[in-house]
Amino acid sequence: MRRAARVVGRALRTPVTGPARGIRKVTHAQGAGESGLGRLIELHGVNGAGDVMITVALASTVFFSVPTDEARGRVALYLAVTMLPFTLLAPVVGPLLDRLPHGRRAAMAGSMLARAVLALVLSGAVATGSLEMYPAALGVLVASKAYGVVRSAVVPRLLPQGFSLVKANSRVTLGGLLATGVAAPVGAGLQMIGPGWPLYGACLLFLGGAFLSFRLPPKVDSARGERRALLAADEQHLAAAVDARWDPVTTDDKTDDKADSTDNKEEEKDRDRDRDRDGERGKGKERRRKGPGLRTVGPAVTHALAANACVRCQSGFLIFFLAFLLREHPLTGQSAAVSLAVVGVAAGAGNALGTAVGAWLRARAPEVIIVTVVGALVAVAVSAAVFFGAAVVAVLGAVAGFTQALAKLSLDALIQRDVPEPVRTSAFARSETLLQMAWVVGGAIGIALPLRGPLGLSVGALIVALGWLTTVRALLASARRGASHPRVA
């Protein structure tokens, strides 16, 4: 009897433990288990699965459950009540989290717990259609943004031996994409049971994510050597930033002497250069640091960020514009739901392919990669506007997903190459904030335009073309010069 019970128990556990062991084996490969990166990949998968379940519930309530005209009004209200305040809060999230560097695991767990509670609030709001849904959705966006900023700061501290930052980010992103692909049909199935069921599933996932957050290595809470970064593009801004860091003081100040004794050698060299430049050597004066160090991230990073912002803006635009366009005018011979699914699957496949290619390329000529993929996206977007049709729209979705993934990974590579390690995490936080704001702006444009395919896709092509034309020359010049600040950790 006991043997039979063990056999039955083993048979029941196998469908769960077998895939779990397989997932653990993949996420912990190549030293990711020892460094802690594997646990972050698993956490990011849980985060993506929870977010997509909330998205399924909100999309079904705001978008699919009402006629197109009413749906546009609801989505516009959703953007006004949630996205517009979010654009004001998003720039604050990164700097606030920079002030809490020693509590990154707690911050990630707090983001998960907040979304677990908000998912329960949303479960009641979507059933009744009450206005509580909108502030709760705003809370979910802010909590998700906080998680994304902290994750960007955590990745550099979990690099396995021999891993580049772009490869690590590729793994984390790919893990999230795979989890999202699995969770989306599960959420759709739960939606068929009831409007609140995907949100119950999201609540459970986020509770598990809070537990996984504290399983990350304690070293992610360390902020040793970190400073805040200034997103500036030229040496003039760098000089201004350095000037802002120092004030002339007398050398007989004991407090200052004590502070000077704690400065590192690099800062002492900086002060020597400042004294030579200002003619203060030998006059009993020296310069004292005023506040947190502000370092330029360099022209390559800022131009790459501008190109990525335009790509992200076009992404937000296409999501909202095509959602309404395909609902009103589905692809030939297909229903609205199938049309949206075709374009969504194409975009997801392109995104996954771009992530995989980014891991394979490792960080080779990131400026050239950005120029190439964004230029290709411009060509496809213009073609889609001119030859508007079902196949071209699907191809545009795939190329847009591919470009967004590969351009972002190339931006990561540039941050790794050009930004000193002490300010790299801050640069990641601020770049993520700017990209999210660009997505919101693009979404608002997509809502406002009339549902005419060639017109809308022309606007989308114009958005990404402006980003490419204004950055291509500077990025290629940077690629010819090479790394201006070769400080790879």
Side-chain angles (χ1 to χ4, degrees):
M1 180 66 71
R2 291 180 180 178
R3 182 178 298 175
R6 285 197 296 269
V7 171
V8 172
R10 192 179 300 113
L12 293 175
R13 290 196 305 270
T14 300
V16 177
T17 59
R21 289 195 189 99
I23 293 172
R24 176 61 58 90
K25 184 177 180 180
V26 172
T27 58
H28 285 56
Q30 297 181 318
E34 291 79 3
S35 70
L37 182 65
R39 293 183 179 181
L40 180 62
I41 294 172
E42 295 167 357
L43 174 63
H44 190 60
V46 170
N47 175 80
D51 277 345
V52 79
M53 285 199 174
I54 291 181
T55 301
V56 167
L58 290 178
S60 300
T61 302
V62 176
F63 184 73
F64 288 108
S65 62
V66 294
T68 301
D69 291 338
E70 185 178 348
R72 293 192 75 175
R74 283 194 177 192
V75 174
L77 178 62
Y78 175 82
L79 284 176
V81 176
T82 60
M83 292 295 191
L84 288 180
F86 178 71
T87 60
L88 300 177
L89 292 174
V92 182
V93 172
L96 283 179
L97 291 174
D98 275 346
R99 298 178 182 274
L100 300 171
H102 296 286
R104 289 183 179 132
R105 290 183 299 173
M108 297 175 89
S111 166
M112 296 286 180
L113 290 174
R115 280 179 286 175
V117 173
L118 291 170
L120 292 179
V121 174
L122 283 169
S123 66
V126 297
T128 61
S130 67
L131 292 178
E132 293 176 0
M133 176 176 62
Y134 297 104
L138 172 62
V140 170
L141 285 173
V142 173
S144 182
K145 173 62 184 176
Y147 165 83
V149 169
V150 179
R151 179 186 66 82
S152 296
V154 163
V155 171
R157 297 197 171 274
L158 298 178
L159 291 181
Q161 187 69 28
F163 260 53
S164 67
L165 188 59
V166 65
K167 183 177 180 180
N169 274 288
S170 297
R171 279 209 180 181
V172 175
T173 303
L174 190 57
L177 287 173
L178 293 175
T180 298
V182 172
V186 173
L190 292 174
Q191 181 70 28
M192 297 176 67
I193 300 175
W197 281 89
L199 296 163
Y200 299 145
C203 178
L204 292 177
L205 285 170
F206 287 132
L207 289 175
F211 171 74
L212 292 176
S213 298
F214 286 110
R215 296 194 64 204
L216 294 174
K219 63 183 176 182
V220 305
D221 287 334
S222 173
R224 183 178 180 181
E226 292 183 3
R227 300 187 183 94
R228 289 182 287 179
L230 175 66
L231 294 180
D234 50 50
E235 296 301 324
Q236 180 181 357
H237 286 82
L238 174 60
V242 172
D243 288 340
R245 293 169 57 200
W246 308 98
D247 267 346
V249 295
T250 59
T251 56
D252 58 357
D253 190 333
K254 295 182 179 180
T255 302
D256 293 336
D257 290 340
K258 184 177 180 180
D260 291 339
S261 67
T262 64
D263 290 338
N264 58 40
K265 294 180 180 180
E266 181 181 351
E267 291 172 338
E268 291 172 357
K269 292 178 181 179
D270 286 342
R271 288 200 300 275
D272 289 339
R273 285 194 293 268
D274 290 336
R275 286 196 297 266
D276 290 340
R277 183 187 63 192
D278 298 334
E280 292 181 356
R281 186 181 293 277
K283 295 183 180 180
K285 298 275 188 178
E286 67 177 16
R287 296 169 74 83
R288 177 181 63 192
R289 183 169 175 168
K290 289 174 63 177
L294 296 174
R295 305 287 184 88
T296 180
V297 297
V301 174
T302 50
H303 287 108
L305 179 59
N308 271 267
C310 289
V311 171
R312 193 66 65 91
C313 182
Q314 189 211 35
S315 173
F317 170 82
L318 290 178
I319 287 174
F320 286 94
F321 179 77
L322 290 179
F324 287 107
L325 178 68
L326 295 177
R327 179 174 177 174
E328 192 71 15
H329 307 288
L331 300 178
T332 305
Q334 303 295 337
S335 65
V338 172
S339 300
L340 290 170
V342 168
V343 177
V345 169
N351 199 292
L353 180 61
T355 302
V357 170
W360 174 69
L361 289 174
R362 301 280 180 98
R364 302 172 186 172
E367 298 99 333
V368 176
I369 293 173
I370 293 174
V371 169
T372 303
V373 296
V374 177
L377 177 59
V378 171
V380 174
V382 171
S383 300
V386 175
F387 306 104
F388 179 74
V392 179
V393 170
V395 171
L396 174 61
V399 175
F402 179 86
T403 300
Q404 180 176 318
L406 194 51
K408 177 60 170 65
L409 291 172
S410 299
L411 173 63
D412 292 344
L414 284 171
I415 292 176
Q416 180 194 24
R417 189 194 74 184
D418 288 359
V419 178
E421 199 271 341
V423 295
R424 193 178 294 153
T425 56
S426 179
F428 269 110
R430 282 154 177 77
S431 66
E432 288 289 341
T433 297
L434 290 175
L435 294 178
Q436 185 65 44
M437 292 175 65
W439 186 89
V440 171
V441 171
I445 297 173
I447 291 293
L449 281 182
L451 297 180
R452 293 200 290 271
L455 171 63
L457 295 188
S458 297
V459 173
L462 178 62
I463 291 172
V464 73
L466 286 175
W468 187 75
L469 292 172
T470 56
T471 59
V472 57
R473 185 176 178 180
L475 286 173
L476 291 177
S478 175
R480 287 193 296 268
R481 289 194 301 267
S484 57
H485 302 284
R487 299 184 179 97
V488 179

